[in-house]
Amino acid sequence: MKGQGLSSKATVKVNPSDSRNQYRAPTKIVLSYRTIDQFFSDIATNISLGGIFIRTPKPLPVGTTLRISFAIPQFESYVEANGTVIHTGTTDCVGMGIKFSEIDNRALRAIDEMIKYNLSAEEEKKAKEKEKCKEKGKAAKAKPASAARTPAKKAPAKKAPAKKAPAKKAPAKKAAARKAP
């Protein structure tokens, strides 16, 4: 929203056709939200410039409008926005997706900074994991330094197979002649 010349008090109407085309940063934000006659407090699990996902065992119906409030402590910001429930979660992730309908520029900048911060932390984590994998791969391919200095041991000479002694024959059984009665 930079470059639009709007003050931090200006409110931005979010384009309703702008559906989920922004980066969604994983997060854990305790937030409060309210409808006309109810007040709630839950945890958001991801956020973008266009909306937020709230994990809750009892999502509000799709189409419900609400007012959301939360703090972003690392940036000393407090965000307030109007939004609409656009979907409820799945069986794996119970909650509701909220699309921002009105939010001020200051709040958008704070969310943008938080997303960049989370993205850089996520990229750094992936880079470290990738480096660990490379190091493990190099270690597995490389021979230990001690093996390079130690001469290879000769394998013991194979002995010729021993000759087998002829198998002993079992003594023949003498058939007893049977006399007919």
Side-chain angles (χ1 to χ4, degrees):
M1 295 295 154
K2 294 177 183 175
Q4 291 183 353
L6 298 173
S7 73
S8 64
K9 296 288 184 185
T11 300
V12 177
K13 295 260 187 194
V14 180
N15 182 355
S17 65
D18 187 20
S19 179
R20 228 179 156 155
N21 60 357
Q22 290 117 0
Y23 177 77
R24 302 186 80 72
T27 190
K28 287 198 178 186
I29 299 173
V30 176
L31 53 74
S32 59
Y33 55 101
R34 66 181 188 267
T35 62
I36 292 173
D37 58 351
Q38 295 176 309
F39 183 83
F40 307 91
S41 182
D42 283 303
I43 295 176
T45 56
N46 72 46
I47 189 167
S48 74
L49 291 174
I52 194 164
F53 186 83
I54 301 171
R55 180 169 232 139
T56 178
K58 295 182 180 179
L60 298 171
V62 172
T64 303
T65 58
L66 42 91
R67 180 79 175 166
I68 302 166
S69 306
F70 60 92
I72 305 175
Q74 65 264 46
F75 300 108
E76 299 177 3
S77 297
Y78 190 76
V79 174
E80 289 188 302
N82 291 332
T84 304
V85 178
I86 58 168
H87 71 87
T88 55
T90 63
T91 54
D92 294 335
C93 191
V94 179
M96 56 188 171
I98 309 300
K99 185 170 188 163
F100 297 138
S101 56
E102 287 187 44
I103 187 166
D104 67 45
N105 282 333
R106 180 195 50 77
L108 281 175
R109 282 194 298 272
I111 292 170
D112 189 44
E113 289 299 315
M114 184 180 74
I115 290 169
K116 287 176 185 174
Y117 176 81
N118 287 356
L119 177 60
S120 65
E122 195 173 296
E123 285 176 346
E124 186 176 320
K125 182 180 175 183
K126 286 179 183 178
K128 285 181 181 179
E129 288 174 5
K130 193 174 184 179
E131 190 62 32
K132 282 182 185 179
C133 289
K134 282 183 182 178
E135 291 300 319
K136 285 181 182 178
K138 287 179 184 178
K141 290 180 183 178
K143 292 182 181 178
S146 61
R149 287 183 259 127
T150 308
K153 294 181 181 179
K154 290 184 178 179
K158 290 186 179 179
K159 295 181 181 179
K163 291 183 180 178
K164 292 184 180 178
K168 294 182 181 179
K169 293 183 181 179
K173 291 184 181 178
K174 294 183 183 179
R178 285 189 167 181
K179 293 184 183 177

